[in-house]
Each structure stands twice: as C-alpha cells, then as structure tokens.
C-alpha cells in the first residue's frame, strides 16, 4: 500500500483511500459505483489507480465532452454505462439580464450557500449573458427549491436537457517548457516568464492557486492534471509531464486559457 502513496502528495492520501475503496466495492459486488464530480487532478489520480487491463473499468462524463469537472463511474467488465447512468441535471439561471449581472464567484458562492458541497456541482457555464450549470441528479430538486437569489439578484431556475448547454469554445494555447523541478515557484516562473525569485514572491503573497486553493509554499510539488492560477498571468493546466532532458530538467506541457 505504501508503494502506491509514494507516487502522490501527502494531502492526496485520503482521496487515494477512497478510490481504492470504490474499486474494491466494484470488484467484490460486481456493480457500478458512481462518484461525485471530480476536478481534473482527481480524475488523473483515479485514472492512474484503475488500470486499463484491470477487471474494474472507468468512465467519465460531466454533461459535455469538454467539461472540466466530471463524475466517474467505476464498473465491472460486463457492464457498459450510458450517459443516463452518470445522473446529471442541467439548469439555466433566469434573471433580468438587462438590469443585472452575475459573476462566477457569486453563482458558486450561492450554490455553496444552500448547504451543498462543491462536489455536487459540475461546470458553471457562461455564454452571451446566460448562466448554466450542471449538478448531480440526486440534489437537483433541492437546488431548484433553494436557489432564489445570487448576490443581490433575484433568480429562478429552468431545467434544461444536457443538449441545450451552451458549451463554450475552447480557446487555449499549448505551451511546452522545461523546468529544473516541479516546485510551485519553478513552474510559476516558467508560465509567467518571471525570475524564480519574483515567482516565489507571488506564491508567498498568496497570489497563486493550485486546484482553486491558495498555496503559499514555494516548495509545493505540482503533478499532472493540476490547475494553476497566477494572478495577473492567467490560468494554466499541467497537461503532462513528459520525462526529463539529458540535463535533468523536466519537460512539461501546459494549456493556457486565453
């Protein structure tokens, strides 16, 4: 068991334990196991712990193919999950768009304010003044009955099929770089084109988030699937770690959101 943990960060161990428990349930009971919404890093961990040749298979879906947050289904070999098995519900937020505006943080804060965890919600989508979001089917009716205001704006919700989601166009720039280490300050230096010293100051001043959490430790180690937000420089996804160069530097591939 300790051999598994050594490939991951200390703070990821509880999630690893959860994944191993899910996997055991599927293997022992020959039934599907549906998870809550997972962020990209959690998806990478789950994918690495449930191998392709394994008796337990794995599928992801978040309402549309480009979704960032997705639910996962672990299932036995004989089963083949459908889109309905992921139990997703989409909503459109109705509000007076000509007289009011809603920010992403306000919508997310209001959803959390009704007493549900972030894991019950998928992507929040904004297009042409319209806000939509995806949630777990099991909490859909509760969300519908409880969400009546976002910030100072009175709102109502309309159930919509997943096919009506206004999927945003993916406008990303692929970046390849090499870094001396996977430390947060080193990677921040690469994506921001700042010196290591200046990047370290950004981290220590609370201007850098990893997977939506402020991390102030410059030595924090990054991993595949991590979302990196550097204030003033944008959002990046560490898509892959592609081994080392002859000089011992790490080859990395990023996606930068434009």
């Amino acid at each position: 068991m300790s051999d598994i943990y050594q490939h991951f960060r200390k703070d990821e161990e509880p999630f690893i334990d959860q994944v191993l428990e899910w996997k055991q349930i599927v293997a022992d009971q020959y039934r599907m196991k549906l998870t809550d919404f997972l962020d990209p890093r959690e998806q990478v961990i789950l994918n690495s712990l449930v191998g392709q040749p394994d008796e337990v298979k794995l599928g992801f879906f978040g309402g549309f193919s480009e979704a960032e947050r997705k639910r996962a289904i672990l299932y036995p070999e004989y089963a083949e999950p459908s889109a309905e098995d992921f139990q997703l519900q989409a909503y459109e937020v109705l509000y007076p768009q000509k007289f009011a505006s809603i920010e992403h943080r306000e919508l997310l804060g209001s959803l959390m304010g009704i007493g549900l965890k972030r894991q019950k919600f998928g992507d929040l989508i904004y297009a042409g003044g319209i806000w939509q979001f995806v949630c777990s089917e099991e909490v859909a009716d509760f969300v519908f009955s409880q969400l009546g205001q976002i910030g100072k704006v009175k709102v109502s919700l309309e159930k919509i099929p997943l096919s009506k989601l206004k999927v945003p166009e993916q406008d990303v720039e692929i970046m390849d770089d090499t870094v001396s280490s996977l430390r947060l300050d080193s990677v921040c230096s690469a994506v921001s084109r700042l010196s290591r010293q200046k990047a370290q100051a950004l981290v220590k001043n609370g201007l850098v988030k990893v997977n939506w959490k402020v991390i102030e430790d410059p030595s924090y180690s990054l991993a595949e699937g991590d979302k990196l937000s550097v204030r003033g420089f944008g959002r990046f996804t560490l898509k892959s770690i592609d081994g080392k160069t002859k000089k011992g530097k790490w080859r990395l591939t990023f996606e930068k959101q434009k």
Side-chain angles (χ1 to χ4, degrees):
M1 189 68 68
S2 59
D3 291 341
I4 293 177
Y5 293 134
Q6 70 181 353
H7 299 292
F8 302 95
R9 294 180 292 226
K10 183 72 177 177
D11 61 338
E12 294 172 339
E13 289 184 5
F15 182 69
I16 293 166
D17 291 338
Q18 183 71 79
V19 170
L20 296 176
E21 182 180 326
W22 292 337
K23 188 175 177 181
Q24 197 64 49
I25 288 172
V26 177
D28 291 346
Q29 301 180 19
Y30 300 102
R31 65 178 178 86
M32 291 185 182
K33 172 60 184 176
L34 175 63
T35 75
D36 282 333
F37 285 95
L38 306 176
D39 66 36
R41 175 57 186 164
E42 290 170 330
Q43 294 169 38
V44 169
I45 294 173
L46 179 53
N47 209 30
S48 68
L49 294 176
V50 181
Q52 294 307 311
D54 205 294
E55 61 180 335
V56 176
K57 304 300 181 184
L58 184 61
F60 294 100
F61 189 47
F64 55 101
S65 59
E66 301 87 351
E68 190 171 87
R69 298 176 61 82
K70 299 176 181 178
R71 298 189 84 172
I73 290 180
L74 293 81
Y75 59 95
E77 286 182 298
Y78 68 84
E80 190 62 44
S82 65
E84 289 72 26
D85 290 320
F86 288 89
Q87 299 178 24
L88 305 177
Q89 177 60 57
Y91 280 114
E92 185 163 306
V93 181
L94 305 180
Y95 67 102
Q97 299 173 28
K98 290 184 179 180
F99 307 103
S101 62
I102 295 173
E103 300 292 332
H104 182 282
R105 59 180 175 79
E106 293 174 324
L107 173 55
L108 181 58
S110 296
L111 291 172
M112 300 299 95
I114 63 177
L116 294 174
K117 295 181 179 179
R118 182 67 178 98
Q119 291 88 340
K120 294 299 180 183
F121 298 96
D123 286 9
L124 312 184
I125 302 166
Y126 181 76
I130 295 174
W131 278 104
Q132 300 173 329
F133 63 89
V134 183
C135 67
S136 301
E137 204 172 69
E138 64 266 23
V139 301
D141 289 343
F142 179 77
V143 175
F144 184 84
S145 67
Q146 295 297 310
L147 190 68
Q149 186 166 326
I150 297 174
K152 296 181 179 180
V153 182
K154 297 289 186 181
V155 303
S156 59
L157 298 180
E158 178 184 358
K159 282 188 177 183
I160 59 172
L162 298 177
S163 60
K164 294 294 185 181
L165 288 171
K166 297 181 180 295
V167 180
E169 291 186 11
Q170 295 293 305
D171 190 8
V172 297
E173 175 187 354
I174 303 299
M175 302 169 57
D176 296 308
D177 213 330
T178 58
V179 295
S180 58
S181 80
L182 296 175
R183 283 172 51 114
L184 182 55
D185 56 356
S186 179
V187 176
C188 280
S189 174
V191 299
S192 65
R193 305 304 185 199
L194 295 175
S195 68
R196 181 82 168 262
Q197 186 177 11
K198 290 182 178 179
Q200 195 170 94
L202 289 177
V203 177
K204 289 182 176 179
N205 289 327
L207 301 179
V208 176
K209 293 182 179 180
V210 179
N211 298 329
W212 304 279
K213 296 178 183 177
V214 174
I215 303 293
E216 297 180 354
D217 178 6
S219 67
Y220 186 85
S221 183
L222 294 181
E224 282 188 355
D226 278 342
K227 292 282 182 179
L228 179 64
S229 175
V230 185
R231 191 179 302 178
F233 296 92
R235 291 182 64 197
F236 307 83
T237 302
L238 179 49
K239 295 298 291 183
S240 63
I241 299 173
D242 307 311
K244 288 188 174 182
T245 67
K246 291 181 179 179
K247 294 185 177 180
K249 290 192 172 184
W250 291 97
R251 293 191 186 93
L252 305 181
T253 299
F254 301 95
E255 277 186 0
K256 179 181 180 181
Q257 291 189 358
K258 293 185 179 179

